[in-house]
Amino acid sequence: MNSSSTTDLKVAFLGTGSMNGAILRGLLASGFDPDRVIATCRSEESANALRNQVPVTVVASETDGQANAKAVKRAGVVVLGVKPKGIQALAAEISQALEKGAIVVSVAAAVTTGMIEAQLRAGQPVVRAMPNTPSQVGMGVTSISAGRGTGPADMKRVADLLKSTGFVTQVPEDQVNAVAAVSGSGPAYAFYLAEIMAAAGQQLGLDADLARVLAAKTVAGAGRMLDAPEVDPGVLRKAVTSPNGTTEAAIRVFDDADMRGIMARAAQAASERAEEITRELGGA
Ligand SMILES: NC(=O)c1ccc[n+]([C@@H]2O[C@H](COP(=O)([O-])OP(=O)(O)OC[C@H]3O[C@@H](n4cnc5c(N)ncnc54)[C@H](OP(=O)(O)O)[C@@H]3O)[C@@H](O)[C@H]2O)c1
């Protein structure tokens, strides 16, 4: 494969559920040619649902047992998006069909580049990505880590492709679990915050729908304010926390309940669970 830019690559998404679907939508929204994309799902039901959402070819592996192997033909980048326990089998399934030099990108938590490389032909470049679902609205955060045979040009090609879905940064692979605990799982933390803010609003007597809209739009608006270069969340928080005011009274309750400690323990739990899954899948 000798593609000079990301625009002349075909991209194959294998296992196109929440995460790969989010990247796919972000990519298309940025103007990527849908004719250069192919996607697979397991079931015909999921394939149909995806076909109704995006104008790309979608094939179900339960309908065509060769769907994944066919999809990687003439693909310069192949993005694996099945659950962690299915990644190694999927890599083995496509190994002989991959173009020489095609970059295999895995978005799976807990599956190391070494575990994927072991299923592929020697020298096939592998990139481990840790994206998050805001990729579908162009506000994703993705880290990428290089496998053993993956050079700077491969990393640049993947970074250029993923930049259409938001912010991309390169990290050593031993930091991926920490990245996953902050930004991979992070959207769920923000959604959880919106959920419990709405519940608190209801407890104060607000109508359920109003409380939900107030909480969701507030988290979304605050998120938009955070999306600036060099932004410091602490500075933004202090700017809306007048001494002796109502917000300060609320923040004091968080501090008294050790919110920082709770978040640290939550992130630690996410990271440890990733290590545990790696071991369950036979990785080191
Ligand atoms: N969700 C997140 O926020 C997030 C963040 C970072 C990383 N990740 C990683 O992303 C990966 C996928 O997670 P997800 O939440 O997107 O899961 P998901 O929504 O269940 O998506 C998995 C997809 O894979 C398809 N699939 C399963 N086996 C297949 C096969 N043999 N061939 C082709 N397609 C197959 C499924 O099809 P069916 O629907 O037909 O079964 C489904 O479309 C995981 O490894 C996870 O660690 C997720």
Side-chain angles (χ1 to χ4, degrees):
M1 219 53 284
N2 184 24
S3 298
S4 54
S5 84
T6 51
T7 52
D8 50 25
L9 290 171
K10 189 177 129 191
V11 180
F13 289 90
L14 309 185
T16 320
S18 304
M19 193 59 253
N20 250 1
I23 300 172
L24 168 58
R25 277 183 272 278
L27 196 62
L28 296 177
S30 76
F32 197 88
D33 181 357
D35 291 341
R36 291 187 181 280
V37 177
I38 185 158
T40 69
C41 296
R42 186 187 50 78
S43 63
E44 196 55 51
E45 190 187 349
S46 295
N48 259 330
L50 190 61
R51 284 182 199 114
N52 288 334
Q53 293 164 22
V54 288
V56 305
T57 302
V58 186
V59 192
S61 65
E62 71 175 12
T63 310
D64 178 353
Q66 294 299 307
N68 292 313
K70 286 181 188 164
V72 305
K73 287 279 170 208
R74 286 178 296 281
V77 177
V78 175
V79 191
L80 310 183
V82 299
K83 295 286 191 194
K85 67 177 179 346
I87 290 284
Q88 290 155 292
L90 180 58
E93 182 186 331
I94 58 168
S95 63
Q96 300 306 314
L98 285 165
E99 302 290 345
K100 192 171 178 297
I103 308 166
V104 177
V105 181
S106 164
V107 303
V111 185
T112 64
T113 54
M115 290 160 73
I116 298 168
E117 284 159 353
Q119 308 298 326
L120 302 174
R121 286 183 300 207
Q124 196 87 49
V126 174
V127 173
R128 184 167 169 193
M130 180 45 63
N132 65 13
T133 52
S135 294
Q136 67 190 298
V137 292
M139 293 185 73
V141 169
T142 304
S143 75
I144 53 173
S145 307
R148 243 182 336 168
T150 313
D154 297 324
M155 293 303 280
K156 184 177 180 319
R157 187 183 287 181
V158 172
D160 286 349
L161 192 73
L162 292 174
K163 269 180 196 157
S164 62
T165 66
F167 174 78
V168 180
T169 188
Q170 190 167 336
V171 299
E173 191 168 3
D174 62 8
Q175 290 185 10
V176 176
N177 289 347
V179 170
V182 175
S183 56
S185 302
Y189 309 162
F191 301 143
Y192 186 53
L193 177 64
E195 251 181 280
I196 58 180
M197 277 169 67
Q202 253 187 287
Q203 277 183 26
L204 286 173
L206 294 176
D207 168 77
D209 283 344
L210 176 63
R212 184 179 43 76
V213 171
L214 293 180
K217 289 200 174 295
T218 299
V219 173
R224 181 80 72 84
M225 288 174 75
L226 283 167
D227 188 35
E230 315 278 319
V231 75
D232 180 338
V235 170
L236 288 180
R237 174 175 58 81
K238 284 178 190 132
V240 289
T241 310
S242 321
N244 244 341
T246 56
T247 308
E248 192 185 64
I251 297 285
R252 194 176 307 121
V253 174
F254 289 145
D255 285 344
D256 289 349
D258 189 25
M259 274 300 288
R260 282 170 198 271
I262 290 171
M263 181 55 81
R265 291 206 301 282
Q268 182 73 28
S271 174
E272 283 172 5
R273 178 61 190 135
E275 287 170 15
E276 201 174 74
I277 296 171
T278 304
R279 286 192 297 274
E280 285 168 12
L281 296 175

